[in-house]
Amino acid sequence: MTPLVTAAVLLAAVTHASWNAIAHQITDKLVGFTLISGGGMLIGTAIIPFAAVPAAGAWPYLLASSCIHIAYYALLMKSFQLGDFGQAYPIARGTAPLVVTVLAALFAHEVPDGWAAAGIALSCAGLTGVALWGLRGRGTDWSAIGAALATGLTIAAYTVVDGLGVRASGSSLGYIAWLMAVQGVVIPVYALARWRGRFVAVLRPFAGVGLVGAALSVAAYGLVLWAQTKAELAPVAALRESSVKSCSYSNNFAGQGVG
């Protein structure tokens, strides 16, 4: 992995942790994810005219990823509702690299060498340690842990699907733009149906911070997709989560993770 790719992945990790923290700070999780998902849809739609359309071979991956991302958002919202942010977040993120390693070996024929495998294991161990630190002195909420683990599986699934899709697309920018535009419709439509005439009134107080979260989300995943065209999937996933670890630890240490 080149220094440029490494820097891009680390920057993606920090921006990703930042938008998750923003989503956590909005008490009503549906409000937060409606703004972030809907904002991502608007950003993706704005980029589409300036980016190449993904190649035909990328569309099955893009559509599959859109479905997986919707499940991811739903499970992440549930994780934040059920458990401590500092517990749920590292469990969800720490599960992904190991599963990505297995899936990448099966579907992308990428088997990490000894050093890469050790790095992936170290990253996952570090995130597990953060989660255990968050549990100190508290009872174990198995429903929250189960939701976080399920979230981690969706992360691993969309990581591999998108890694294969962006490589087939011929355009990282086009792929992320269309992905955001397609997947970003569902949650706002659900919220619109649920809130009916109150849609704008419910969202307005959080619109600014939510749209910042949306911009961070698009930037973070765009960087990851670009990195996946330059390096193997599992090391990119592990490096991304290693930086997320420090952000999660800061939440735990500061006591800011109570949901």
Side-chain angles (χ1 to χ4, degrees), residues 64-90:
S65 174
S66 297
C67 295
I68 297 168
H69 269 90
I70 293 164
Y72 161 70
Y73 280 129
L75 286 166
L76 190 61
M77 282 191 285
K78 193 66 175 178
S79 297
F80 286 171
Q81 289 168 352
L82 290 173
D84 186 312
F85 175 82
Q87 174 186 332
Y89 191 63

Side-chain angles (χ1 to χ4, degrees), residues 128-237:
T128 300
V130 170
L132 292 174
W133 177 265
L135 284 171
R136 68 197 188 285
R138 307 175 188 178
T140 301
D141 186 341
W142 291 108
S143 60
I145 291 175
L149 288 172
T151 304
L153 293 177
T154 61
I155 293 168
Y158 74 61
T159 296
V160 174
V161 170
D162 282 332
L164 298 174
V166 73
R167 291 173 181 178
S169 71
S171 170
S172 300
L173 184 61
Y175 190 91
I176 186 66
W178 278 99
L179 180 63
M180 293 296 109
V182 172
Q183 75 177 32
V185 174
V186 175
I187 294 178
V189 167
Y190 170 76
L192 183 62
R194 179 171 174 176
W195 295 325
R196 300 180 185 275
R198 301 186 300 119
F199 184 79
V200 174
V202 170
L203 296 181
R204 184 182 291 118
F206 306 98
V209 68
L211 293 176
V212 170
L216 290 171
S217 175
V218 174
Y221 204 52
L223 287 168
V224 169
L225 287 176
W226 175 80
Q228 288 176 325
T229 67
K230 306 296 182 182
E232 293 186 350
L233 304 181
V236 168

Side-chain angles (χ1 to χ4, degrees), residues 1-19:
M1 192 181 298
T2 67
L4 180 60
V5 173
T6 299
V9 176
L10 291 175
L11 178 59
V14 173
T15 52
H16 183 94
S18 298
W19 85 251

Side-chain angles (χ1 to χ4, degrees), residues 44-73:
T45 302
I47 294 172
I48 283 173
F50 306 99
V53 177
W59 283 95
Y61 295 106
L62 193 152
L63 295 175
S65 174
S66 297
C67 295
I68 297 168
H69 269 90
I70 293 164
Y72 161 70
Y73 280 129

